[in-house]
Amino acid sequence: EDPLLGSVVAAAQVRGFQGDILGAAGRVIAGPKHFAGYGAALGGRDYDEVDLSDQEFWNTYLPPFRAAVEAGAGNVMSAYMDLNGVPASGNRWLLSDVLRGALGFDGFVVTDANAARDLVTHHFAADPADAAARALTAGVDMEMAIGDPAFSHLGAALADGRISLEQLDASVRRILVLKEKLGLFDQPFVDEEAAREVLAR
């Protein structure tokens, strides 16, 4: 795909979903995904590994995410797959150095379904508590899970020193800040009809 066209579309989608500011009436949070390189899976197979050169990563796959971040995307979804041998949802370089550092993203990172727990499947983590610690340390703030989430083991990871209270607080703070901006503490339930209208646009 063309990185310029992808960037224009990404920024437009963020503005379309979120409006001019987070919390705009009748709008929802925008969450670009899957960060990053997911479309380059070997053989075009879902979940398969991705091997990208620096040139391809920075000049083809990153510009649309940069545009989405600059347009104000409130959250970013991490990917399932390995990027150059390291699972994206446990990749500190990708989620902290690149996304938060180079792109300046200050929202929260959410995994795709079971991607934190799947760090065990990738043989990148020893068990679910280790997977949770590795994902949080990499830069994941919230886990989307289908049963038995790895993040339910964060208490154990905190108790045995694999994560710090400061790390946990930082992730929780990012989520709470976005919830406050979205007005969820004042209006916790979505107007389903308005949400359907936004998604149908």
Side-chain angles (χ1 to χ4, degrees), residues 98-159:
V98 175
L99 181 59
R100 295 200 186 280
L103 301 189
F105 178 66
D106 63 359
F108 71 88
V109 174
V110 60
T111 70
D112 207 336
N114 290 348
R117 188 176 183 79
D118 282 349
L119 295 179
V120 177
T121 306
H122 283 287
H123 303 289
F124 189 73
D127 53 43
D130 189 35
R134 288 176 181 271
L136 187 82
T137 299
V140 170
D141 301 303
M142 179 185 291
E143 177 186 16
M144 181 171 61
I146 303 167
D148 194 19
F151 272 30
S152 68
H153 301 273
L154 280 173
L158 179 64

